[in-house]
Amino acid sequence: MTRSHYTLAAAGGSLALLLGAFAFQHLGGLAPCKMCIWQRYPHVIAIAIGALALFVPAPALLALGALAALATAGVGGYHVGVEQGWWEGPSTCTSGPVGSLDADALFDQIMTAPLVRCDDIAWEFAGLSMAGWNMVLSLGLALLWVQALRR
């Protein structure tokens, strides 16, 4: 395969993952949490870099594409850890323990809670959540970017 083929595959993979996320959201009715949205931004950047790299054959662009894929994989990995309870997520999209709260404080926490929590797994397949699949597939996309760079 040529550099262009790897670049198309990597950028096309980001496009496919982004379209899949939109399909889950708009066709499947699964509203994204804040961290899900964060995972989309590097895919958009990778798509733009891929389009540019097809016309401007600069190795630096391919390296940036790999970094974008690694960035979304990193956010996906962080999100998996939040979903599994390995660490706390941002306070704006997770909830804390309620055992020590009085009724008024609990009500306030409920009223200010996000509609879609980052620590809930809305969908999973083969033991991986959407964030987990994004992490795994984005690592594969990073490898495609590296292959393009090596050509």
Side-chain angles (χ1 to χ4, degrees):
M1 285 180 36
T2 67
R3 176 180 283 188
S4 294
H5 289 119
Y6 281 110
T7 303
L8 276 171
S14 279
L15 178 61
L17 289 176
L18 192 58
L19 290 175
F22 285 130
F24 273 101
Q25 179 180 351
H26 296 290
L27 301 176
L30 294 176
C33 71
K34 182 179 283 193
M35 292 176 73
C36 294
I37 300 294
W38 293 348
Q39 291 172 72
R40 295 178 183 185
Y41 296 130
H43 283 301
V44 171
I45 293 168
I47 294 164
I49 289 170
L52 184 60
L54 291 174
F55 299 103
V56 180
L61 288 175
L62 302 174
L64 288 173
L67 286 175
L70 289 173
T72 191
V75 175
Y78 176 63
H79 193 177
V80 167
V82 171
E83 291 172 337
Q84 296 299 323
W86 298 335
W87 45 74
E88 287 188 33
S91 61
T92 57
C93 68
T94 58
S95 69
V98 296
S100 63
L101 299 178
D102 63 19
D104 289 332
L106 180 58
F107 180 77
D108 289 341
Q109 182 176 339
I110 291 169
M111 295 308 293
T112 60
L115 294 176
V116 180
R117 292 182 24 192
C118 297
D119 54 357
D120 282 340
I121 298 174
W123 178 91
E124 68 179 342
F125 176 73
L128 288 177
S129 66
M130 279 191 274
W133 280 108
N134 181 60
M135 178 187 68
V136 169
L137 295 172
S138 295
L139 288 173
L141 294 177
L143 291 175
L144 289 174
W145 283 106
V146 170
Q147 281 297 103
L149 188 58
R150 293 179 62 200
R151 296 282 170 189

